[in-house]
Amino acid sequence: MSDVKPFVLDFDLVSGFCTSGKVKPTQRRVSDMVAQFANETAARAMVEGGDPLLYEFYGLDLPEDDSGVLQFGTTILYPGKVGEEYFMTKGHFHTILDTSEIYYGLSGHGMMLMETPEGQVDWKEIGPGEALYVPGRWAHRSINTGTEPLVMFFVYRGDAGHDYGTIEEKGYRKLVVERDGKPAVIDNPKWKV
Ligand code: S6P
Ligand code: ZN
């Protein structure tokens, strides 16, 4: 058991920013994810045009080897598209595969795209006041389908860990793109068995 003392943090309910100055967000830009977008040419052009910030999220300095710890924070995913594909997070399985996660929508609108190693796929919309349960075994990727930042609070078992490699190698089975002004979930032509 780790020696974490009680503490309080402020997460703004609209912006998602943590106002406790010592907590710094992790940022990911288009250049961090070029190969994960269906239209890599569009992604490279965006990198050359200024490399926009896709999202930022707060991970706290809590022990990562203690199953009794709960990690929590906010993800702030900005609106925009790469080609016709909405801005999205990298997405990951948890290294301890059967650990679950809860997201709570604070502001903005989007989707969580999920899949299991066995090939089940699912997606759920999320917006303000909605709690989303991502069961263990389901990889999860957030997608901003709106025009405002998508801000979500999350909490998961502190030792869950992050397996990014599987998604980086194989991609997701589905993509979320804008068609006729609306989000559409389509097969990912780059997905590898
Ligand atoms: C961690 C949780 C979130 C994501 C964040 C960024 O288990 O799911 O904190 O880390 O939304 O996404 P990603 O896929 O870059 O970690
Ligand atoms: Zn996660």
Side-chain angles (χ1 to χ4, degrees):
M1 190 163 147
S2 54
D3 186 28
V4 180
K5 298 284 186 292
F7 65 95
V8 173
L9 289 176
D10 295 315
F11 283 102
D12 184 278
L13 270 172
V14 175
S15 71
F17 291 117
C18 178
T19 51
S20 302
K22 59 181 189 230
V23 186
K24 294 277 175 284
T26 301
Q27 299 187 324
R28 296 210 215 282
R29 296 180 178 275
V30 176
S31 56
D32 296 312
M33 290 177 51
V34 168
Q36 294 181 47
F37 285 103
N39 187 338
E40 289 186 39
T41 309
R44 266 188 234 104
M46 286 179 82
V47 172
E48 280 160 29
D51 197 11
L53 181 62
L54 294 169
Y55 62 99
E56 46 196 329
F57 62 101
Y58 292 92
L60 307 182
D61 187 21
L62 292 169
E64 292 175 359
D65 58 354
D66 184 341
S67 63
V69 165
L70 290 175
Q71 177 66 260
F72 70 99
T74 46
T75 300
I76 301 140
L77 174 57
Y78 293 101
K81 280 178 292 173
V82 175
E84 59 174 5
E85 193 173 10
Y86 295 103
F87 280 9
M88 61 189 187
T89 60
K90 268 189 163 187
H92 56 266
F93 289 96
H94 290 162
T95 312
I96 302 179
L97 190 59
D98 62 0
T99 53
S100 53
E101 182 159 348
I102 294 167
Y103 281 83
Y104 184 77
L106 297 177
S107 60
H109 289 89
M111 264 188 205
M112 192 69 71
L113 184 61
M114 295 166 280
E115 66 176 55
T116 65
E118 293 76 26
Q120 297 175 85
V121 294
D122 204 349
W123 52 91
K124 296 281 179 243
E125 291 184 19
I126 184 164
E130 292 177 319
L132 169 70
Y133 186 71
V134 180
R137 303 186 62 76
W138 289 79
H140 36 289
R141 163 177 282 169
S142 316
I143 294 153
N144 188 336
T145 54
T147 53
E148 306 294 327
L150 172 64
V151 182
M152 296 174 294
F153 184 86
F154 60 80
V155 59
Y156 60 95
R157 205 176 100 181
D159 64 343
H162 295 86
D163 165 17
Y164 290 105
T166 306
I167 296 295
E168 277 169 3
E169 280 163 32
K170 295 163 71 92
Y172 261 77
R173 288 170 165 83
K174 299 283 181 186
L175 301 180
V176 185
V177 296
E178 187 180 81
R179 291 280 160 85
D180 301 324
K182 291 191 307 247
V185 180
I186 62 167
D187 288 340
N188 179 3
K190 286 168 64 181
W191 182 72
K192 301 189 195 106
V193 180

